[in-house]
Amino acid sequence: SQQGEEDPQALSIQEGENATMNCSYKTSINNLQWYRQNSGRGLVHLILIRSNEREKHSGRLRVTLDTSKKSSSLLITASRAADTASYFCATLSDSWGKLQFGAGTQVVVTP
Amino acid sequence: NAGVTQTPKFRVLKTGQSMTLLCAQDMNHEYMYWYRQDPGMGLRLIHYSVGEGTTAKGEVPDGYNVSRLKKQNFLLGLESAAPSQTSVYFCASSYDYGGTQYFGPGTRLLVL
């Protein structure tokens, strides 16, 4: 069963706008990771945030983690057409011990 | 440095046929994983390996077998393919437990 669930399932924005997607999970975690998947390709790692961290940045990406609410968010600022992809959160739970992926958020950025 | 590669890229099988998917990584990673990706389901872990000669079951192991005879290779076998195994299969590897995973480009499998 999926540990993480992304919201929304799909997001359509214009270039230059910010895109925000959320991930909720059920059990306590060791870390949470975000991945991107372009159509027909494998997943590419974006950011890993540990359970004792609250926020991380990487370029135009900002990830927050709220362990009390069991949720994380991924913000892409000043989006570009090249950001069009599916974005997945994956959690490393203390109980399962292996990464579990959500169903993903499909983001379309139009020029 | 090719990263993680998968062979073949695409395959069509008839029900009952067998095949082996090959994954190779050149990053000297101890950990390797096989996932399947189905629409609306995200990725689900089939089998994984924590080192040469070791394998373990993941979330959905039934109907699949694996082997890790060499550190750089992880093979996924389907002994008797079923239509329910139609999916996209991804291999991944990681340096450390629970850390960043590096994915291959995927193998698209269609079982008729």
Side-chain angles (χ1 to χ4, degrees):
Chain A
S1 62
Q2 290 167 212
Q3 155 80 314
E5 292 188 6
E6 291 93 340
D7 173 63
Q9 290 185 334
L11 183 59
S12 184
I13 57 174
Q14 302 265 351
E15 255 189 339
E17 293 180 338
N18 294 343
T20 300
M21 59 210 85
N22 303 296
C23 171
S24 59
Y25 56 91
K26 298 171 186 170
T27 62
S28 63
I29 60 170
N30 179 287
N31 70 54
L32 185 147
Q33 303 177 32
W34 285 93
Y35 288 81
R36 184 189 73 229
Q37 183 181 34
N38 291 92
S39 181
R41 301 288 191 93
L43 278 71
V44 174
H45 181 261
L46 297 176
I47 288 185
L48 182 154
I49 187 164
R50 302 191 190 284
S51 59
N52 60 352
E53 298 174 311
R54 291 297 166 258
E55 188 170 311
K56 265 188 131 170
H57 296 255
S58 176
R60 293 182 297 111
L61 306 179
R62 173 178 168 249
V63 168
T64 62
L65 178 64
D66 187 335
T67 53
S68 66
K69 295 181 179 178
K70 291 187 171 59
S71 68
S72 172
S73 68
L74 170 66
L75 168 67
I76 305 172
T77 59
S79 61
R80 306 167 181 168
D83 294 327
T84 293
S86 292
Y87 292 81
F88 295 88
C89 72
T91 53
L92 181 73
S93 69
D94 293 329
S95 57
W96 173 236
K98 288 160 281 294
L99 275 188
Q100 286 182 284
F101 288 80
T105 293
Q106 199 166 11
V107 175
V108 174
V109 182
T110 53
Chain B
N1 193 336
V4 180
T5 58
Q6 291 182 233
T7 310
K9 288 184 171 52
F10 177 69
R11 185 76 183 269
V12 178
L13 288 180
K14 293 181 180 178
T15 296
Q17 287 184 320
S18 63
M19 78 164 294
T20 300
L21 284 68
L22 170 64
C23 175
Q25 52 96 2
D26 61 3
M27 295 174 282
N28 202 35
H29 287 168
E30 289 291 339
Y31 301 85
M32 296 187 75
Y33 316 83
W34 276 108
Y35 294 92
R36 60 178 288 173
Q37 184 177 35
D38 301 294
M41 297 287 291
L43 274 75
R44 291 182 292 169
L45 182 66
I46 304 171
H47 285 280
Y48 65 101
S49 169
V50 300
E52 182 179 319
T54 72
T55 63
K57 293 180 180 180
E59 189 182 353
V60 288
D62 293 343
Y64 305 95
N65 57 75
V66 288
S67 64
R68 183 110 180 258
L69 298 180
K70 292 183 179 180
K71 186 177 183 178
Q72 63 268 35
N73 295 338
F74 195 27
L75 278 63
L76 178 70
L78 285 74
E79 289 185 347
S80 180
S84 61
Q85 294 177 305
T86 292
S87 188
V88 182
Y89 292 85
F90 287 99
C91 176
S93 70
S94 67
Y95 172 73
D96 55 352
Y97 172 78
T100 299
Q101 292 191 10
Y102 297 83
F103 283 80
T107 293
R108 195 171 294 272
L109 176 65
L110 176 61
V111 183
L112 302 174

